[in-house]
Amino acid sequence: MTKLRWAARYLALALGVAAPLAFMAIFFLWPVLTMVSMGLFGEGGGSGFAEALGRRRVWDVVAMTVGMAAGGTVGSVLLGLPGAYVLYKLKIPFRGALRAFVSIPFVLPVMAVAVGIGALFGPGGPLASWHLMGTKTLVVAAMVFFNYSLVVRIVGPMWAGLDPRAEEAAVSLGASPARVFFTVVLPRLVPAIASAASMVFLFCASAYALVQVLGGPGATTLEAEIYNETVAYMDYQAAAVLSILQLVIVVAALALSEILRGRVERGQKMTRTAARRPRKGDLPALVVTGLTIVFLLAAPMVGLLTRSLRRGGAWTLQNYTDMANADASAAIQTSVLSSLGTSFATALVAAVLALAVGVSLSVILSRRPRKRAAKGALKALDILFMLPLGVSAVTVGFGFLVTMSGPPLNLATSWWLVPIAQSIVAIPMVARTVLPTMRAIDPRQREAAASLGASPERVLATIDGPYLWRTGVVAAGFALAISMGEFGATSFLARPQTATLPVTIYSLASRPGATEQGMAMAASVLLAVVTATLMVIVERLRPNDATPMM
């Protein structure tokens, strides 16, 4: 009986590792490696990589991607630092509400953000006379809008937790506020700023929906170009080469982010300090933060809501009532509400898949083996686990399109392909939510339970179980919200009859008619409200001691 029990345990452990690995190998590594092979050797075995690298267009797109990502990063940091200071160091009215408000753009679906900004600067918008639609400037501004809160959320808590004694000593020695900031505060914030900047660069470099909706011929990124090469020109080899170049850029940014994240966590001794009332010298930071919140964050959302209530220059609710009508526009083959139902159904399946894979691997990765070989295996598994963060959604969708169109799986026409692709995008988010909490469990608790005769199954249920339940619920909510708003991979795979809501919004927004534009605005408001509601529910379900998302 004992031998059978041990055999069952080893079999369960093997399945716990093999099943997630098989899922990742089939639906992530295979598509990505196939694209790498296409880019390096081409379909005919020739060196397509070298040929594509010789095209000037490729390097123009690389330069544009890096340039706009750098611009978005600099803008986010320059505006985010005053915001972090005001919202975390100063005691101002409605501080909690303002923190929540500035976080809204980051959790909103990118497509809704893009359409909202387009409502301001596009034809008929209140700022159309600025002629920014289709320019790099507007794309960079949208990147700042989307990533501003990331800088605030990473730098702010660290700034609030810095030991104030060094600043007080500098002031007592006669240092001016500016000198205190540049010589005492800023050096201690550099790791947090660099970590936030690298993550912002990561998101900006992989921007897709923002570029597709707001950019013109002179504003594109590698991710948008991959889509164009695939759909418009059917040049899979060029798209594969661009995917490899993007992968190199994004993985480099991801690696830098992880290194700097470690420095943030270990580099400073944190303390709890109370917020203080604003002083005269805080006026510039207050003004910059106020203007940023009003004009950069609030204006696009108000513009989106306002445009959703107008059609043909008149106020109307027709844009919302037409969401139930599949024949309201020739741009779509199903109603907006049906697309919302499709989005929720696919996102629900994607969340279940992402949770199953992410939690299984998190349980394994949270263990602390003593043997060097086992530690190396877990480290390799950890790298594989986080690798989807370094591959864009468009790249994943393109890989699916290439590999799943024939034997042995032939899933190109299957409904399951979309939620599977969305789950690949959501798995890293599940990991970032569950794994830190699992690693924080004191291993002596498991050892004590085992020494009292508890089986491994009971240790998992009684020690790990409560943590898994609490963080699992939060992770499921995040995975559901991410999958609801996912556009990059889904745009390759969804069919017109079963389009998700982000794909439907893009189909409507890309048409010039008043009906299509109005419905796109209303659908974006609907998607934003649903996603924001999911995030509110997630925050309510999050226990007070849960690990915060970064």
Side-chain angles (χ1 to χ4, degrees):
M1 184 68 180
T2 304
K3 290 183 178 180
L4 289 176
R5 184 175 296 176
W6 277 106
R9 289 174 183 172
Y10 280 119
L11 179 61
L13 179 61
L15 289 176
V17 176
L21 276 178
F23 184 87
M24 295 289 286
I26 294 172
F27 297 111
F28 177 70
L29 291 179
W30 181 28
V32 171
L33 292 178
T34 299
M35 292 173 53
V36 171
S37 176
M38 288 176 56
L40 290 174
F41 308 110
E43 296 179 354
S47 180
F49 191 77
E51 178 185 352
L53 288 181
R55 303 178 188 176
R56 181 174 179 178
R57 171 66 177 174
V58 170
W59 294 109
D60 287 344
V61 174
V62 170
M64 223 177 304
T65 300
V66 174
M68 288 194 296
T73 302
V74 171
S76 299
V77 170
L78 289 180
L79 294 178
L81 284 180
Y85 176 76
V86 170
L87 297 179
Y88 283 88
K89 290 285 289 181
L90 301 183
K91 190 175 182 179
I92 59 175
F94 309 108
R95 185 174 67 157
L98 288 173
R99 283 187 190 175
F101 179 78
V102 299
S103 298
I104 290 176
F106 187 75
V107 301
L108 287 180
V110 181
M111 181 55 67
V113 171
V115 173
I117 294 176
L120 282 177
F121 296 94
L127 301 179
S129 60
W130 291 20
H131 303 294
L132 290 177
M133 196 67 181
T135 64
K136 297 177 187 177
T137 302
L138 186 59
V139 174
V140 171
M143 291 175 176
V144 176
F145 167 89
F146 195 67
N147 293 289
Y148 170 83
S149 65
L150 189 63
V151 177
V152 173
R153 291 170 66 192
I154 291 178
V155 178
M158 185 175 182
W159 201 337
L162 291 179
D163 191 337
R165 288 177 295 182
E167 300 172 50
E168 294 168 356
V171 171
S172 66
L173 293 173
S176 65
R179 187 168 184 181
V180 170
F181 173 75
F182 284 107
T183 61
V184 179
V185 178
L186 187 60
R188 294 190 291 170
L189 288 178
V190 163
I193 295 172
S195 179
S198 61
M199 293 183 70
V200 171
F201 184 88
L202 171 69
F203 290 122
C204 292
S206 58
Y208 174 57
L210 292 178
V211 177
Q212 289 293 85
V213 175
L214 303 177
T220 187
T221 60
L222 283 167
E223 190 147 358
E225 198 70 11
I226 292 167
Y227 180 87
N228 294 333
E229 291 288 350
T230 304
V231 177
Y233 307 115
M234 301 299 289
D235 190 346
Y236 286 5
Q237 185 172 322
V241 172
L242 293 173
S243 299
I244 294 172
L245 293 175
Q246 186 205 34
L247 180 62
V248 171
I249 294 172
V250 173
V251 168
L254 177 64
L256 180 61
S257 172
E258 291 302 314
I259 292 172
L260 294 172
R261 182 190 297 273
R263 291 185 61 188
V264 170
E265 295 171 349
R266 298 187 300 268
Q268 298 288 346
K269 183 177 180 180
M270 308 302 289
T271 185
R272 296 179 65 89
T273 58
R276 61 170 177 80
R277 295 185 179 278
R279 302 168 183 165
K280 184 177 180 181
D282 300 324
L283 184 60
L286 288 167
V287 171
V288 170
T289 301
L291 293 177
T292 300
I293 291 175
V294 172
F295 292 103
L296 181 67
L297 304 185
M301 290 188 275
V302 172
L304 175 62
L305 180 60
T306 302
R307 286 290 300 276
S308 72
L309 296 172
R310 295 181 64 84
R311 181 184 292 184
W315 294 98
T316 179
L317 293 175
Q318 191 68 34
N319 296 323
Y320 287 92
T321 57
D322 280 347
M323 290 195 298
N325 184 6
D327 299 322
S329 171
I332 55 177
Q333 297 185 21
T334 183
S335 70
V336 171
L337 294 184
S338 294
S339 296
L340 176 62
T342 301
S343 288
F344 188 80
T346 56
L348 191 60
V349 174
V352 171
L353 291 173
L355 199 64
V357 175
V359 169
S360 298
L361 288 173
S362 293
V363 170
I364 296 168
L365 292 172
S366 64
R367 295 318 190 243
R368 300 177 184 178
R370 297 177 181 177
K371 295 183 179 180
R372 181 176 299 180
K375 291 181 180 179
L378 285 185
K379 188 173 182 179
L381 193 62
D382 194 10
I383 293 173
L384 174 64
F385 187 43
M386 301 305 295
L387 194 57
L389 281 178
V391 180
S392 74
V394 170
T395 301
V396 173
F398 174 45
F400 271 53
L401 189 67
V402 173
T403 57
M404 304 294 171
S405 298
L409 295 180
N410 197 19
L411 292 175
T413 58
S414 172
W415 177 88
W416 285 91
L417 197 59
V418 172
I420 289 173
Q422 291 178 348
S423 71
I424 293 295
V425 177
I427 283 173
M429 185 62 70
V430 174
R432 285 187 177 276
T433 307
V434 177
L435 186 55
T437 301
M438 296 301 295
R439 283 177 170 167
I441 299 175
D442 191 338
R444 290 176 293 183
Q445 297 182 37
R446 301 188 184 104
E447 295 169 1
S451 67
L452 292 174
S455 65
E457 296 84 359
R458 184 155 188 191
V459 171
L460 179 64
T462 57
I463 304 299
D464 298 55
Y467 295 93
L468 282 174
W469 170 251
R470 290 182 295 174
T471 58
V473 170
V474 175
F478 276 116
L480 185 62
I482 289 169
S483 300
M484 281 286 295
E486 204 285 319
F487 175 68
T490 307
S491 64
F492 278 86
L493 306 171
R495 297 188 171 274
Q497 300 84 355
T498 56
T500 61
L501 190 52
V503 174
T504 297
I505 292 172
Y506 179 72
S507 299
L508 291 167
S510 59
R511 297 291 185 93
T515 299
E516 286 74 15
Q517 290 295 309
M519 289 180 64
M521 305 300 167
S524 297
V525 171
L526 176 64
L527 181 58
V529 169
V530 170
T531 306
T533 301
L534 288 174
M535 296 306 300
V536 170
I537 294 173
V538 166
E539 289 300 324
R540 287 186 175 273
L541 292 174
R542 182 199 297 277
N544 292 332
D545 58 344
T547 301
M549 286 296 302
M550 287 189 59

